[in-house]
């Protein structure tokens, strides 16, 4: 679709896409800081995807486009967790080039239908066409081309959302993303108990139901050991690290090493 007055030139850059339907597992990095240099560092190390947290993280809507483009320059797909379900904010984030959207706190099929529609151009949805913010650096999405659809990822993080999971799955999202912290609070059980359950537990049941419905299951983990366990339960994409977590772990290790007794550091 041509926009009057747009440039006929392009940088030739393509928007990287995350294929969550390939049967593999995809390790991501979670970004809560608003400096694009943070995304540069993480994307350069080869994570499969970068999620920019616009709900609980530092980035505001005007910060998102430079963060998205920092990931794309390294060929790493971008996903944004949006602050809510408001259509105006969502449209600006989609126009900025996000390759996927994580919607928080989806609790029923009516909300799910509206959110899926908001990420799809007519006639399959209600997304407004106006991708001028990212032109001419990247090719614009083509309405009607399913290959240009962004990933619509719905968060299950409350008891109500869990109770309505099958109805939510029937609305046709690309993926479900479990928020275990809020889900454990809503269910009235410790986080450690929820994540410690095995193949017969709540999380494994969510993953099975998603897979049976043809919807890819994901979950927030934030560290490799828990990620491995969630993969064994059937989850297929998760952030295995976060920017703030990596910084804290590295700082803690450095401080601990610097406080070792001097005698232990002097070779005999």
């Amino acid at each position: 679709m041509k926009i009057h007055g747009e440039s006929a030139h392009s940088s030739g850059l393509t928007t990287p896409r995350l294929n969550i339907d390939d049967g593999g597992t995809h390790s991501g990095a979670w970004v809560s800081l608003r400096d694009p240099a943070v995304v540069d560092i993480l994307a350069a190390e080869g994570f499969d995807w970068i999620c920019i947290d616009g709900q609980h993280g530092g980035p505001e809507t005007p910060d998102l486009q430079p963060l998205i483009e920092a990931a794309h320059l390294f060929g790493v797909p971008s996903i944004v967790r949006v602050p809510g379900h408001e259509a105006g904010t969502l449209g600006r984030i989609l126009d900025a080039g996000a390759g996927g959207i994580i919607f928080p706190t989806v609790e029923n099929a009516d909300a799910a239908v509206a959110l899926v529609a908001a990420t799809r151009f007519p006639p399959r949805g209600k997304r407004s066409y106006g991708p001028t913010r990212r032109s001419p650096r990247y090719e614009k999405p083509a309405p009607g081309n399913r290959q240009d659809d962004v990933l619509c990822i719905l968060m299950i993080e409350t008891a109500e959302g869990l109770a309505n999971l099958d109805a939510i799955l029937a609305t046709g999202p690309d993926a479900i993303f479990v928020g275990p912290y809020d889900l454990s609070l809503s269910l009235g059980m410790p986080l450690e108990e929820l994540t410690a359950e095995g193949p017969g537990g709540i999380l494994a049941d969510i993953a099975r139901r998603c897979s049976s419905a043809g919807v890819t299951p994901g979950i927030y983990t934030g560290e490799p050991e828990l990620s491995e366990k969630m993969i064994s339960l059937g989850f297929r994409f998760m952030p295995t690290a976060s920017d703030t977590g990596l910084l804290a772990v590295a700082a803690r290790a450095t401080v601990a090493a610097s406080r070792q007794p001097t005698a232990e550091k002097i070779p005999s």
Side-chain angles (χ1 to χ4, degrees):
M1 183 179 294
K2 185 173 178 57
I3 297 175
H4 178 72
E6 68 181 355
S7 175
H9 303 285
S10 170
S11 67
L13 294 172
T14 58
T15 302
R17 303 287 178 184
L18 178 62
N19 182 9
I20 57 174
D21 296 326
D22 61 0
T25 58
H26 300 281
S27 169
W30 197 265
V31 172
S32 295
L33 301 173
R34 63 173 66 188
D35 190 336
V38 173
V39 178
D40 282 340
I41 292 167
L42 294 172
E45 296 304 320
F47 283 98
D48 295 329
W49 54 284
I50 296 284
C51 182
I52 302 157
D53 188 1
Q55 183 189 25
H56 291 303
E60 303 290 344
T61 301
D63 301 316
L64 294 175
Q65 187 164 357
L67 295 167
I68 290 167
E69 292 186 353
H72 291 183
L73 286 170
F74 284 91
V76 178
S78 65
I79 293 175
V80 175
R81 178 164 72 167
V82 293
H85 300 175
E86 197 272 318
T89 299
L90 172 64
R92 293 182 67 83
I93 295 170
L94 290 171
D95 288 348
I101 300 292
I102 294 179
F103 291 101
T105 320
V106 180
E107 297 188 301
N108 55 61
D110 288 342
V113 166
L115 297 175
V116 172
T119 62
R120 306 286 184 258
F121 291 114
R124 293 187 295 118
K126 296 183 177 181
R127 178 182 173 184
S128 177
Y129 189 80
T132 56
R133 297 179 65 204
R134 57 200 301 246
S135 176
R137 186 175 295 176
Y138 294 93
E139 293 182 3
K140 294 181 293 298
N145 184 1
R146 292 177 182 269
Q147 297 302 314
D148 282 347
D149 285 346
V150 302
L151 293 174
C152 179
I153 304 169
L154 309 181
M155 285 196 75
I156 297 298
E157 50 184 346
T158 64
E160 183 176 352
L162 179 59
N164 292 321
L165 176 59
D166 291 335
I168 291 170
L169 290 169
T171 67
D174 296 294
I176 291 294
F177 190 74
V178 177
Y181 291 86
D182 281 327
L183 182 57
S184 67
L185 289 172
S186 184
L187 294 174
M189 63 191 301
L191 174 68
E192 294 76 15
E193 180 181 340
L194 178 65
T195 57
E197 293 179 334
I202 294 170
L203 297 180
D205 181 60
I206 293 174
R208 281 193 296 269
R209 290 160 69 186
C210 288
S211 297
S212 295
V215 177
T216 305
I219 188 169
Y220 185 89
T221 54
E223 49 95 2
E225 185 177 354
L226 182 58
S227 299
E228 287 298 320
K229 177 170 185 181
M230 294 301 107
I231 290 170
S232 73
L233 296 182
F235 289 95
R236 291 293 168 255
F237 70 103
M238 65 284 298
T240 54
S242 68
D243 53 359
T244 54
L246 289 170
L247 184 60
V249 169
R252 193 174 303 125
T254 300
V255 169
S258 67
R259 290 177 177 171
Q260 290 179 357
T262 303
E264 293 182 14
K265 301 177 183 178
I266 300 175
S268 55

